[in-house]
Amino acid sequence: MARIELRGIAHAYVPSPVSEKDYALRPLEMVWDDGGAYALLGPSGCGKTTLLNIISGLLRPTRGQVLFDGVDVTAAPPQRRNIAQVFQFPVIYDTMTVSENLAFPLRNRGLGPGETRARVEEVAELLELTPDLRMRASGLSADMRQRISLGRGLVRRDVAAILLDEPLTVIDPHVKWLLRRKLKQIHEQLKVTLVYVTHDQVEALTLADRVVVMNQGRVVQVGTPQELFERPADTFVGYFIGSPGMNLLPCTVEDGAVVVEGQRLPLDAGVCARARAAGGELRLGIRPEFLRRVPEGTPSSVRVEVTQVEDLGRHKLATARLGAQALKVRLPEEERLAPGEACWLELPPRWTMLYAGGSAIP
């Protein structure tokens, strides 16, 4: 396993970049600890695969250094970095059996037959492939093939890190959760450094100890799943994470309060002062999960009109109008609300955030 350090890494696919817009990956500094599980999360084209390929050695960055355990490997090819990479489409040999596919990386490194067999059996048991070891790889299901591909990375005890690039994209939805659970279990058992690229927030928040959220070639926030959900540092993070995402409402700041559609909400005076000083468009942010229906007159509450209620089984999702703005509200299953009803919603100050120019006001 390895501690991976990125120093001033940036990359452009155009020759001789001169401005920031020429860079597909904007300058960043980052450290990933030995044995950690990390996810690179963001929409298509945000730079996450570019960053993964720089770490693996498939791509040399335009600027900056990549260090494994303090050793500069920026110019080193993938085979000298001692990493395993699992791609979106499984890379396995159809003419070989499952056992032969798992043994292939070990035989290439000259491991003896006894040690190879023992390691293959160990990894096969971990991935629940033991009954299939003698089967040919051709004709196996997509999830089986992806487990073999993952096993080829795990079979080497000396691997520095496992890099996974959208490995569950081609897997049927009903078996994705099984493989997510298996990946989580593998990491907990082996404590291998894991870097997982995905556009799926459920995968990222389920698998990773820390999530790197990317947008337009930038790292916008790094944090635990809880930190990203509760305290998004950027409006993009608030909107991108969550289902539905954070409510983001245009607002103004007046005399120690936030004003949204003519309704005043008290907020910390220091936050209000810093928001006024920061400049840029101001937005109030609150997650649907933190809004509560309350009696009229409750502090920090606003009057809304319900326009839609969806029953999602364990909870309800309501859409409400606050002046010209729409609010999404997660409600308990037993809550009785109907379209056309007016009610009061509390925005607890603890969970209400203020953003200036897209960035959270601390």
Side-chain angles (χ1 to χ4, degrees), residues 119-190:
R119 185 59 180 159
V120 165
E121 289 174 355
E122 184 180 344
V123 170
E125 184 176 354
L126 188 65
L127 292 168
E128 299 178 7
L129 290 170
T130 302
D132 309 297
L133 283 174
R134 295 184 180 181
M135 292 181 63
R136 293 277 177 187
S138 59
L140 293 177
S141 64
D143 66 296
M144 286 280 289
R145 295 170 67 86
Q146 196 60 285
R147 274 191 279 169
I148 296 168
S149 183
L150 179 60
R152 284 163 59 94
L154 293 172
V155 76
R156 292 163 45 201
R157 294 185 186 276
D158 63 342
V159 69
I162 297 180
L163 314 180
L164 303 104
D165 191 358
E166 304 269 12
L168 303 184
T169 301
V170 299
I171 305 300
D172 290 338
H174 69 282
V175 296
K176 272 189 179 183
W177 73 273
L178 289 170
L179 288 182
R180 283 202 302 265
R181 187 182 66 178
K182 181 57 64 178
L183 278 170
K184 186 75 173 178
Q185 177 190 343
I186 287 167
H187 179 258
E188 288 172 353
Q189 286 185 233
L190 303 183

Side-chain angles (χ1 to χ4, degrees), residues 66-78:
V66 180
L67 290 87
F68 279 26
D69 289 333
V71 178
D72 189 341
V73 296
T74 311

Side-chain angles (χ1 to χ4, degrees), residues 189-238:
Q189 286 185 233
L190 303 183
K191 294 301 180 186
V192 64
T193 304
L194 198 71
V195 182
Y196 190 100
V197 162
T198 182
H199 64 275
D200 186 326
Q201 59 167 302
V202 174
E203 290 180 11
L205 301 180
T206 301
L207 289 168
D209 302 323
R210 293 184 70 78
V211 180
V212 180
V213 184
M214 300 184 67
N215 187 37
Q216 298 181 340
R218 296 183 185 277
V219 172
V220 290
Q221 188 173 359
V222 181
T224 65
Q226 183 175 352
E227 289 167 348
L228 298 178
F229 184 81
E230 293 182 355
R231 312 302 294 179
D234 186 276
T235 52
F236 173 79
V237 180

